[in-house]
Structures are given as C-alpha cells and as structure tokens.
Amino acid sequence: MKMTVPETTGTRMRADERRALVLEAATQVFGERGYHGATTDAVARAAGVSQPYVVRMFGSKEALFIAVLDRALDRLMDTFAAAVEQTDAAVAAGDTETVTHCIAQNYVGLLGDRGLLLSLMQAFMLGADPVIGPAARAGMRRVYEFLRANAGMGPGEAHEFLAMGMMLNTLVGLRMADDYEREPAVRELLDEALPTKLDFLLSLRDAES
Amino acid sequence: MKMTVPETTGTRMRADERRALVLEAATQVFGERGYHGATTDAVARAAGVSQPYVVRMFGSKEALFIAVLDRALDRLMDTFAAAVEQTDAAVAAGDTETVTHCIAQNYVGLLGDRGLLLSLMQAFMLGADPVIGPAARAGMRRVYEFLRANAGMGPGEAHEFLAMGMMLNTLVGLRMADDYEREPAVRELLDEALPTKLDFLLSLRDAES
DNA sequence: GGTTGTGGTAATCGGATGATAACTAGCGGT
DNA sequence: ACCGCTAGTTATCATCCGATTACCACAACC
C-alpha cells in the first residue's frame, strides 16, 4: 500500500489529467462553433486523443458540454471571488476601489481565455434546450446571486455589470477586434467598451494561430 | 399587357410571398436552435413547404441564414428609425423624452418577435465563421452607426444602450422568464432589467405553444 | 513473469442532414 | 385548346457525426 501518485512519466496519462485536457480543448471548440456546430472529433483532435475516447469519457456530447459549462462557471466564480478579496484588501489599506471596478478588471482578464466566456454565452443562447437550458439558467442565477450576496452589489449595479459583461462577450464572439484598424466606428466602439485593456485584447487577437 | 398582380387565390402562392413566409419561419427556427442546430427540414415544416424547396429558394442553408440576418437588421433599423421620428415629434410638442429611452421602449417591443433578436444574437456568436462572421460584424456596425449618426447618441450612450440590448437578448435566449415565479433572484433581475414591460414579457412566455 | 486493471485506439454503424435531380401541376396569354 | 413559365414535390444521394464494440498496451502488484 504505497499509495504513490502516478507521475505520468511514460506515454500514458492519468485519467483526471487527460480529462482536464479534454475539458480545456472542448471549451475552446464549443466557444468557437457553439454546441451544435462543434464536433466531438474536433474536440478530440484539439486534445490529442481519439474521438471515441472523448465520448466515452463523458458519456455523451451533451454531458461534455454540461461539464464545460460547470467548469467555466467555477473558474468565473473563482475569478470573482479573488477580485472581491483583492478589493477588501485595497479598502483595508485605505484605497477607495469599488468592487464593481475591480471585478470588471478581472473579468476583462478572462477575455484572454476566449473559449471560457464564449462557451458560457453559447449556453445562454440554448435556453430552449430541455437539458442545457435549465443548466444555463442555473449558471446565470449563480453569477447573479454571487454579485448580490458576495460582491455586495445592489440589483441595479449587478444588472448593469452583467449588461457590460454580455456586451463584451458579444464583441468577442463577433471577433469585432478584427475590424479595429479598418473601421473607424469599430475603433470607437471598442475604445469605449474597453477603456483600459484594449491593447491587451488586440495582442490576444494577433497572437492567434 | 394587363400587368395584374397575381392574387394567390388558388393552391399556389407567389414566390415572393412564399419567400417571406420561409424567412419568417427560418427566423424562428434559427433563433431557437442556432445556425448549426437548425435544420432546413425544420424550417420547411414550420413554413409548410418541402425541405428541398427551402434549399433551392436560397441556394444553401448558409445563404438562407444570411438572408434571415439581413431581414432582422432591416426590421431592427426600421423600428429604431420609427422611434427616432416618434421622439422628434414628442420633443417638438414640448415633451422632454430622450431618444435612448424611446428607442429602448421600442426595442423591448421587439422581444415579442423572439426569433428576430435571437437570430441576431446567434449570428453574433459566429464571428469565427468565414462567411457569417463578416456579415455579423457588418450588422453590428450598422446598428452602432445608426445609433451614433441617426439617433444622436454619443459613443458612451450608444455603448451603454447596446449593452442593455445584449443583456435583454441574453435573458430571452436563456428563457429566464421560465423561472420568474420559482426563483426570487430571477424575479429581482427581471424586475430590474425590464422595469416597465415585464408583464408584457411574461404574457409572451405564457402565450407559447 | 504472469495477471489484472486502467488508459487508450481502430473499425464501424446507423441516423440525420444538406443538397441534387427528375418530375408534376397550376395559371396566364394567344 | 395548348403552350410556356412559374411554383412546387418525391425520391434519392453522399456526407458527416455521435455512439458502440471490440480490441490493444502499459504499468503496478504479487
């Protein structure tokens, strides 16, 4: 009974590691093409495994998407929670930073993981689906209730914050930054939507393969 | 050369009428299930024609979606333009109504045609698509430029207005109203998002088949 | 050094789906 | 009456995709 943790030294990987890899790949693919547009084969190739393995690991494509949704929400809430702590510390140090501002900063950071926010949005557009719909609604509730209960926002603040978030997600989904140089109106809109972090967003766009 | 307009009295319909019917049906179906999730067969059944006819009428599913997108944008701009005129008339009469408020009112009215706004949102999530992406970006630009040039909004106003619109679209896509009675948080959020027209939205939900 | 369990893959199937081809029928003009 | 054009259909194809089955291989443990 040594109970050693397998080190993944050889050609094979531990199942939970591989699972995390597949979830990451699936997040990207689902974010890019949406639930119906994504194929389990594309996820498998992105993760470097075979297509049947992806399906068997999660039971079905639908279950995989739910897992992606849950993971995305977990990460989102972690980011928010960290932002709240960060704000508390700043306030304790005499700073006058608002929670909303601080969370917003960290939210923009999440745009770096394009798949995460887009997978969420894709789920939000599938409210009519009998399985995904309820899960997506529960996800939105979870976010809203966090903002109200843990971030100390009022109903109006929370709603406004979510509206900004949906706008940013939409602009990312549209790949609006692709037209930043070419279209003056796009430049103006993005300058307004991302007052501080715009160079960050553009660098992400250019870093794409 | 009588040049009479065929009256569609018999079993057959004029092509442009049928085309409008199919476009309306496609708007609903694409809005519900997204571009990839929608099938040309579902569109055909909703329009009461055969599946091959739908495909041949537009050339491809992709072209049909682009047509749906264009029609949705046309209707959206018409609604906005009417709201601007309405505001001008109110201001001339001594009223102090803001354009933003008036457009927002009319926008909420568009929620009645659920497919219209949802088809737009579905397009906005497909920015990575080589054909749909550019069309969707052009659509968003068209809306923004109207708000800036014709509705007299500044960059900040236009951005804020769009953010509220994206939030409302998302809530509709989520079918969030389904949880209005059951979940207090949802009730609070919807009360905040739709201060005046909430009963209208709920009546729409209940009117569904 | 076999044996057992875990981490995979190759082969394949069946249903769904977009598209095409070939054909049919209503309607107006002469 | 028949002729040509427009509005439609039925039948069918080729492809894609999620899922299943059966099999393979590495590694730990006795």
Side-chain angles (χ1 to χ4, degrees):
Chain A
M1 259 321 199
K2 276 275 296 295
M3 218 50 176
T4 58
V5 177
E7 279 289 332
T8 49
T9 56
T11 64
R12 294 175 31 161
M13 200 175 275
R14 272 176 18 232
D16 55 342
E17 275 185 82
R18 190 66 86 181
R19 187 186 164 92
L21 223 70
V22 170
L23 273 176
E24 174 61 32
T27 300
Q28 301 300 330
V29 175
F30 280 131
E32 290 280 322
R33 313 198 213 176
Y35 172 65
H36 292 286
T39 69
T40 55
D41 189 62
V43 172
R45 265 184 279 110
V49 295
S50 66
Q51 178 264 340
Y53 194 37
V54 170
V55 172
R56 214 190 41 185
M57 195 181 276
F58 293 89
S60 69
K61 179 186 176 182
E62 192 175 63
L64 170 60
F65 187 73
I66 299 286
V68 164
L69 175 58
D70 286 344
R71 195 193 75 127
L73 282 167
D74 286 344
R75 293 216 174 168
L76 189 65
M77 308 311 289
D78 285 351
T79 305
F80 283 1
V84 169
E85 280 187 31
Q86 190 179 322
T87 311
D88 290 347
V91 169
D95 215 334
T96 61
E97 198 161 24
T98 70
V99 208
T100 300
H101 181 70
C102 190
I103 293 195
Q105 290 290 107
N106 289 51
Y107 187 84
V108 173
L110 284 176
L111 295 177
D113 187 351
R114 184 172 267 181
L116 196 147
L117 294 177
L118 288 188
S119 288
L120 272 178
M121 283 300 277
Q122 300 283 5
F124 290 165
M125 290 283 101
L126 292 177
D129 186 281
V131 175
I132 298 173
R137 281 187 287 279
M140 177 60 93
R141 269 208 316 275
R142 193 175 157 196
V143 174
Y144 181 74
E145 281 165 353
F146 180 93
L147 295 177
R148 291 281 286 112
N150 299 60
M153 291 189 192
E157 277 178 293
H159 170 242
E160 198 175 334
F161 175 81
L162 284 173
M164 290 298 166
M166 297 305 107
M167 180 68 187
L168 286 176
N169 291 350
T170 306
L171 290 176
V172 174
L174 270 169
R175 268 76 179 160
M176 211 61 178
D178 290 3
D179 288 355
Y180 183 77
E181 283 86 3
R182 201 176 327 136
E183 297 282 347
V186 171
R187 172 184 286 261
E188 186 185 277
L189 175 56
L190 288 178
D191 283 342
E192 187 71 34
L194 295 152
T196 61
K197 302 269 198 163
L198 212 154
D199 49 350
F200 169 65
L201 183 68
L202 292 174
S203 72
L204 287 175
R205 178 200 62 179
D206 298 332
E208 273 167 25
S209 59
Chain B
M1 257 328 196
K2 277 275 296 292
M3 219 50 177
T4 58
V5 176
E7 279 289 333
T8 51
T9 57
T11 64
R12 298 179 22 165
M13 200 175 275
R14 272 175 20 232
D16 54 342
E17 275 186 80
R18 189 68 85 182
R19 187 185 163 93
L21 223 69
V22 171
L23 273 175
E24 174 61 31
T27 300
Q28 300 302 122
V29 176
F30 279 130
E32 290 282 320
R33 313 198 215 177
Y35 172 65
H36 292 285
T39 69
T40 56
D41 190 62
V43 172
R45 266 184 278 108
V49 295
S50 65
Q51 178 264 337
Y53 195 38
V54 170
V55 172
R56 216 190 38 185
M57 194 181 277
F58 292 89
S60 69
K61 178 186 177 182
E62 192 175 65
L64 169 60
F65 187 72
I66 299 286
V68 165
L69 175 57
D70 286 345
R71 196 193 75 127
L73 283 167
D74 286 344
R75 294 216 172 168
L76 189 66
M77 308 310 289
D78 285 351
T79 304
F80 283 3
V84 168
E85 281 186 31
Q86 190 179 322
T87 311
D88 291 347
V91 169
D95 214 336
T96 61
E97 199 161 25
T98 70
V99 208
T100 300
H101 181 70
C102 189
I103 293 196
Q105 291 290 107
N106 289 52
Y107 188 84
V108 173
L110 285 176
L111 295 177
D113 187 352
R114 185 173 266 181
L116 197 147
L117 294 177
L118 288 188
S119 288
L120 273 178
M121 282 302 276
Q122 301 283 4
F124 290 165
M125 297 316 298
L126 292 177
D129 185 281
V131 175
I132 298 173
R137 281 189 286 279
M140 176 60 94
R141 269 207 318 274
R142 193 175 156 195
V143 174
Y144 181 75
E145 281 165 352
F146 179 93
L147 295 177
R148 290 281 286 113
N150 299 62
M153 291 188 192
E157 277 179 292
H159 170 242
E160 199 175 334
F161 175 81
L162 284 173
M164 290 298 166
M166 297 306 106
M167 181 67 187
L168 286 176
N169 291 351
T170 306
L171 291 176
V172 174
L174 270 169
R175 269 76 179 160
M176 211 62 178
D178 290 2
D179 288 355
Y180 183 76
E181 282 86 3
R182 201 176 325 135
E183 296 283 346
V186 171
R187 172 184 285 262
E188 185 185 277
L189 176 56
L190 288 178
D191 284 342
E192 187 70 34
L194 295 153
T196 61
K197 302 271 198 162
L198 211 155
D199 49 351
F200 169 66
L201 184 68
L202 292 174
S203 72
L204 286 175
R205 177 199 62 179
D206 298 332
E208 272 168 24
S209 60

